[in-house]
Every structure is written in structure tokens, then in C-alpha cells.
Amino acid sequence: HPIHSIKGRTMKLYEEIDIIENAINDILYGEDDIDIDALDNLMSAKTATIERGMESLCKIRTRKMAEITALLDEAKRMSEKAERESRALTRLEQYMLSMLGRSGEKKITAGTFTIGTRLSTSVWVSPDFNDPKYMRTTTTTAPDKLALKEALKAGAKIDGAYMVEKENLAVK
């Protein structure tokens, strides 16, 4: 059986595996004859320890993924709420402007607030506006990774770009 605590503290997965691997190495490289039963027991213990540890890690991963999903959902909910509040504020300010206009006054003092207006100028542009004289072009330049990948796979040597092989975790 693998050791789960040392000096009163719970061991980390890698510590348990290190102890088992050291015991395996003692059997394999020690002075005595190789005890096949002990070696088999240690190999089984190592596998069981890794499986138990991986199960715990998968549970932690599942909780983390759920937390991320919950946070993203909450962020979406808060963003939608902020949009609703912004629309409500706009309606409230339009109503206040209407009431100020109906008062016939330029300014109204209401308790600790002074309500008035100020003029501002902005430009409204129709969605189909297309006068080249008043258009500006913005350009974004970024590497085309798909084209680079195809070229590199075909054997091209490109300064500043190379293929990277990455091992990704797959949990089902």
C-alpha cells in the first residue's frame, strides 16, 4: 500500500510516486536478487497511486471548468444588466430633459441638484454613407498563421516562424 502521509502531513502525489519509484529502483539495482512479487506489488501501487491522483486532479479540473463557466455566465449577466441600466439611464435623462423643457426655465434647482442644459454638437452618419472624400481607412496587419502552417508543412524555411508541436491534455 502506498504511504499517504509523512510526519503527520498529507503527501503530495509526486512525493508518493517518488517513494514508490525509489523502492522499485532499490529492488532493480540493489545487491539482492530481484523479488518479482515485491516489484509487481510496487508497480501496481505506483499505477494505483497515479490513477487515484489523476482522478483527484480531474475532479479539481472539473470544478475549475465549472467555476470558469459560472464566472463567464455571471460576466455576461452583469454586462447585460449594465446595458439595461444604461438604456434606463438614457430614458431617465430624456424624461428629465423633457420636464426641464416643459418648465420653460434654463435651470432648475431641485434640493441639492441644479439641472440645466448645455449645447453640444455631434455628427450623425447614415449606415449607407460612402462619400470617399470623408472616409478614412484603417488597416490591421497580423501574421496569417494558416498560410504559414501550410508553407512550413510544405518545407518552406521562413525567418521568425516555425512549427511547434504541443501535447494537449484530453480528458473525457
Side-chain angles (χ1 to χ4, degrees):
H1 291 50
I3 300 170
H4 297 294
S5 66
I6 189 168
K7 295 183 182 177
R9 82 172 168 81
T10 303
M11 292 179 55
K12 306 241 184 285
L13 176 61
Y14 69 87
E15 292 174 320
E16 287 187 51
I17 294 169
D18 283 349
I19 288 172
I20 295 168
E21 286 178 342
N22 288 337
I24 290 169
N25 288 336
D26 288 346
I27 291 172
L28 290 175
Y29 304 111
E31 300 293 320
D32 299 328
D33 289 339
I34 294 176
D35 182 342
I36 298 298
D37 289 335
L39 185 60
D40 186 49
N41 287 339
L42 285 169
M43 296 297 286
S44 294
K46 179 180 173 183
T47 299
T49 300
I50 290 172
E51 287 173 356
R52 180 179 42 79
M54 292 302 279
E55 180 180 16
S56 294
L57 294 171
C58 285
K59 288 177 181 177
I60 292 168
R61 179 181 178 271
T62 299
R63 285 192 300 270
K64 291 281 183 201
M65 290 170 57
E67 179 72 12
I68 289 167
T69 298
L71 289 169
L72 291 172
D73 289 347
E74 180 67 6
K76 180 182 176 193
R77 187 186 73 74
M78 294 299 289
S79 176
E80 290 169 352
K81 183 175 181 176
E83 287 177 26
R84 284 191 307 274
E85 292 297 327
S86 180
R87 288 190 302 270
L89 177 61
T90 298
R91 287 191 307 273
L92 176 66
E93 288 174 344
Q94 288 170 343
Y95 181 71
M96 291 172 69
L97 188 58
S98 168
M99 291 297 106
L100 181 63
R102 289 179 79 179
S103 75
E105 301 291 328
K106 293 279 185 193
K107 281 186 187 178
I108 294 177
T109 301
T112 59
F113 300 98
T114 301
I115 302 104
T117 61
R118 61 176 169 73
L119 291 177
S120 66
T121 305
S122 64
V123 176
W124 179 86
V125 180
S126 73
D128 60 342
F129 182 83
N130 195 18
D131 185 337
K133 182 177 177 184
Y134 297 103
M135 298 299 282
R136 101 181 131 177
T137 302
T138 57
T139 304
T140 302
T141 305
D144 183 345
K145 289 188 175 183
L146 186 58
L148 282 166
K149 183 178 183 179
E150 290 173 12
L152 291 167
K153 275 186 173 180
K157 301 292 182 210
I158 304 168
D159 287 340
Y162 56 90
M163 295 293 287
V164 176
E165 192 168 294
K166 185 177 169 186
E167 188 173 19
N168 295 305
L169 183 66
V171 179
K172 297 177 184 181

